[in-house]
Amino acid sequence: MYRIFLVEDDQSIAGAVAKHLDSWGWEVHRVMDFQRVLEEFQAFGPHLVLLDIGLPFRNGYHWCAGMRKVSRVPIVFLSSASDNMNIVMAMNMGGDDFVAKPFDLDVLTAKVQALLRRTYDFGAAAPLLEARGAVLDTGDNSLTYEGQKLELTRNEYRMLQVLLEQKGRTVSRETLMQRLWETDSFVDENTLTVNMARLRRKLEGLGLTEFIRTKKGLGYLIE
């Protein structure tokens, strides 16, 4: 049974979400003490986090940063503030997805299912993928280059995996978005752009400049 950690201070929303997810057979823990979110998170040991941004005492970004220091569990931000600035901030803080309020419970469930599936039920893949001396280890979601090991977020790993599986061929933005979020519901293209920019900065830090090339109007390519 998957465990979902729900950090939402609006009790009507939290109750509705918890009830709906519970009907799918998932165990849901609703945070009650918003000064001890990280302690409850560590005690519960969830498979996925639903995290509101506007919270009492400290905002969701603060708690996301704390979770990322101890865990790589998928984090989905929930917020009525769905402007680009908040989406960018959520992704840069380590979030895996962003759901704008008000949301349809079935759409939220589809996103949760997709994220759980690709995180924990992803089928067997080639153990190593390589390009230009950089090796992606599908066992621990890391990239190694010239003796340096780069830890990747889930989205960064999935982008590299898809591009390396299609090495030498251009992968469209639509294909990347479908493979990352695995849902028919709308995903803001800016979310992919933010994730790609963050990944490129990390790669450049390893010395892998222009490792991922942009083919204008077509998509992305690793040669």
Side-chain angles (χ1 to χ4, degrees), residues 1-222:
M1 178 188 293
Y2 289 119
R3 297 183 298 277
I4 312 296
F5 189 67
L6 177 58
V7 191
E8 168 61 68
D9 63 315
D10 185 314
Q11 295 306 306
S12 62
I13 294 176
V17 170
K19 182 178 179 180
H20 191 77
L21 297 181
D22 181 71
S23 72
W24 282 84
W26 299 322
E27 180 182 356
V28 181
H29 175 82
R30 292 169 55 183
V31 170
M32 294 300 174
D33 187 344
F34 290 93
Q35 297 188 75
R36 300 168 63 88
V37 171
L38 193 57
E39 293 175 43
E40 290 189 34
F41 166 80
Q42 291 177 300
F44 184 57
H47 294 97
L48 182 141
V49 176
L50 296 175
L51 179 60
D52 189 19
I53 294 178
L55 296 167
F57 306 110
R58 296 180 184 274
N59 64 30
Y61 300 134
H62 170 85
W63 296 119
C64 180
M67 292 173 191
R68 279 288 170 259
K69 290 179 181 178
V70 298
S71 174
R72 297 174 65 190
V73 66
I75 297 175
V76 178
F77 277 96
L78 309 174
S79 178
S80 56
S82 57
D83 56 279
N84 285 349
M85 184 181 72
N86 277 285
I87 295 172
V88 169
M89 179 71 76
M91 296 299 106
N92 283 337
M93 291 299 293
D96 294 278
D97 206 342
F98 189 103
V99 179
K101 297 178 182 176
F103 49 78
D104 182 280
L105 287 171
D106 289 329
V107 171
L108 177 65
T109 301
K111 285 178 173 286
V112 169
Q113 283 180 314
L115 195 47
L116 288 171
R117 183 171 61 249
R118 72 172 182 264
T119 302
Y120 302 106
D121 296 334
F122 194 70
L128 296 175
L129 295 167
E130 183 274 339
R132 283 177 50 184
V135 178
L136 182 69
D137 189 334
T138 61
D140 67 357
N141 294 14
S142 66
L143 184 78
T144 303
Y145 179 67
E146 294 186 345
Q148 305 174 82
K149 187 172 183 177
L150 178 64
E151 297 296 333
L152 302 166
T153 67
R154 194 160 290 98
N155 283 349
E156 291 164 355
Y157 165 75
R158 291 290 284 134
M159 284 190 289
L160 279 175
Q161 182 186 29
V162 173
L163 290 169
L164 286 169
E165 286 174 345
Q166 302 295 321
K167 185 170 64 173
R169 289 179 284 184
T170 300
V171 179
S172 70
R173 289 177 60 88
E174 291 75 16
T175 297
L176 272 175
M177 290 171 69
Q178 184 179 25
R179 289 287 298 273
L180 258 68
W181 287 280
E182 295 182 1
T183 175
D184 293 331
S185 61
F186 176 77
V187 177
D188 192 322
E189 283 204 30
N190 189 53
T191 304
L192 176 62
T193 301
V194 170
N195 276 271
M196 184 62 73
R198 182 172 59 189
L199 174 58
R200 280 173 157 160
R201 286 195 299 270
K202 285 188 174 183
L203 293 172
E204 288 172 0
L206 280 185
L208 289 166
T209 57
E210 297 186 5
F211 186 70
I212 300 174
R213 295 181 56 198
T214 298
K215 304 290 284 185
K216 191 172 182 180
L218 296 175
Y220 300 100
L221 167 72
I222 292 179

